[in-house]
Amino acid sequence: MNIMDFNVKKLAADAGTFLSRAVQFTEEKLGQAEKTELDAHLENLLSKAECTKIWTEKIMKQTEILLQPNPNARIEEFVYEKLDRKAPSRVNNPELLGQYMIDAGTEFGPGTAYGNALIKCGETQKRIGTADRELIQTSALNFLTPLRNFIEGDYKTIAKERKLLQNKRLDLDAAKTRLKKAKAAETRSSSEQELRITQSEFDRQAEITRLLLEGISSTHAHHLRCLNDFVEAQMTYYAQCYQYMLDLQKQLGSFPTNYLSNNNQNSGTPMPSALSNVIGPSAMASPSSLVITSPNLNDLKESSGSRKARVLYDYDAANSSELSLLADEVITVFSVVGMDSDWLMGERGNQKGKVPITYLELLN
């Protein structure tokens, strides 16, 4: 027998097997043939494996979206991964925002309160961007990669053996059907021999599939360890971000927020940021209705004398009629007839201008 004859016979046998399985499957669907049921334990393992696969895919996909919200960037990373090449490094959103803030602060002037604050915020945003990059790398290595390995490795092997088990079951049930239809003694003997062989092959494949499926419990244990790594990575990231913002808040403590109207005219007294955290949103919405004064300041307003006052917060003059202030400096203040109740006249050497009373503490 030459190789060509052997291949022809093999193809004919495979075609016969395929046809037999197709007929058996169709008759089962039509209720015209009996079906061998898998034992309850094996069915439970198959269901557990399928459930694990479905939820692992969903968790993996949503984690990728969480770590990289840009779909185009995810596609690019996927292509580079399939090509077994390293994706080019790109600036992330916090880093880009941080650079814009630094550039703007530099142009406005690092010596100004706003420019200095922008630079400090920009540096913090860039640190957050670095922490974000570390979170993505750690999560991809310790969490996403093991999940993907299960989907693309272990579960593919399980699916392959499960399909083979299905084919062996169809062969077994087809052999049972032929045995029932056999009438001649010789045909019946041949059918019984076929049934024994197909039953043995089915039992062997069922055992192989069962052993693979029982490994799902180990997979769950491994994924649990990976989940703990992911939680730890997130915890580190959020702790870093919290510390960065806490440090930034302390650095910005000397930069009060000025409440100005749209036409850049003063609408009441500028309010320090420390006070804005204490008052409610209704008061914030109408700053002109909020007058913060101390009894000493009221006394000063009613008198014609001058007093020394300590500056509580830095203040940048909005126009030439105002006097810029530095925290902790001591200036002379006095009232002027007709001046808004929220302001006093301040004097430092030969410099003079209006100052907001909420930035002052009168000295005895």
Side-chain angles (χ1 to χ4, degrees), residues 111-114 253-256 258 269-272 297 307-334 342-349 351-362:
T112 65
Y114 184 42
S254 59
F255 299 110
N258 293 340
T269 309
M271 189 179 303
L297 289 172
R307 293 278 297 275
K308 293 292 185 181
R310 185 174 69 86
V311 178
L312 300 175
Y313 313 97
D314 287 0
Y315 175 67
D316 287 334
N319 51 56
S320 59
S321 69
E322 297 178 10
L323 180 66
S324 294
L325 304 174
L326 293 174
D328 294 327
E329 72 170 323
V330 177
I331 63 171
T332 302
V333 293
F334 55 90
D342 294 333
W343 296 79
L344 289 171
M345 186 61 69
E347 193 174 66
R348 182 201 305 115
Q351 294 179 322
K352 185 183 297 184
K354 293 193 304 181
V355 293
I357 61 175
T358 52
Y359 283 58
L360 305 173
E361 177 187 17
L362 283 182

Side-chain angles (χ1 to χ4, degrees), residues 160-296:
K160 177 183 176 182
E161 296 300 329
R162 181 178 184 174
K163 183 178 180 181
L164 190 54
L165 177 63
Q166 171 74 350
N167 289 337
K168 296 299 182 182
R169 186 196 62 76
L170 289 172
D171 291 343
L172 173 61
D173 290 338
K176 290 178 179 179
T177 300
R178 282 190 290 273
L179 178 59
K180 287 182 178 180
K181 294 179 179 179
K183 295 182 178 179
E186 184 177 345
T187 304
R188 189 170 184 82
S189 175
S190 175
S191 297
E192 288 175 347
Q193 177 67 18
E194 181 188 14
L195 179 59
R196 283 193 293 271
I197 294 173
T198 54
Q199 181 70 59
S200 175
E201 291 179 349
F202 171 76
D203 292 340
R204 179 176 176 275
Q205 186 57 39
E207 182 64 16
I208 293 173
T209 307
R210 183 185 64 79
L211 291 174
L212 281 173
L213 291 171
E214 287 177 346
I216 291 293
S217 296
S218 298
T219 298
H220 283 192
H222 178 52
H223 287 182
L224 174 59
R225 291 191 294 272
C226 297
L227 181 62
N228 285 330
D229 291 340
F230 179 54
V231 170
E232 185 175 344
Q234 283 187 306
M235 181 183 68
T236 301
Y237 168 72
Y238 290 119
Q240 285 178 322
C241 291
Y242 174 75
Q243 188 60 51
Y244 293 154
M245 299 312 294
L246 197 63
D247 294 341
L248 177 62
Q249 186 183 46
K250 292 177 181 178
Q251 294 177 43
L252 297 183
S254 59
F255 299 110
T257 303
N258 293 340
Y259 290 85
L260 303 176
S261 61
N262 290 334
N263 62 5
N264 207 32
Q265 295 177 352
N266 291 334
S267 176
T269 309
M271 189 179 303
S273 58
L275 293 177
S276 67
N277 293 330
V278 177
I279 65 173
S282 59
M284 294 272 287
S286 180
S288 61
S289 65
L290 180 66
V291 178
I292 305 176
T293 58
S294 69
N296 289 336

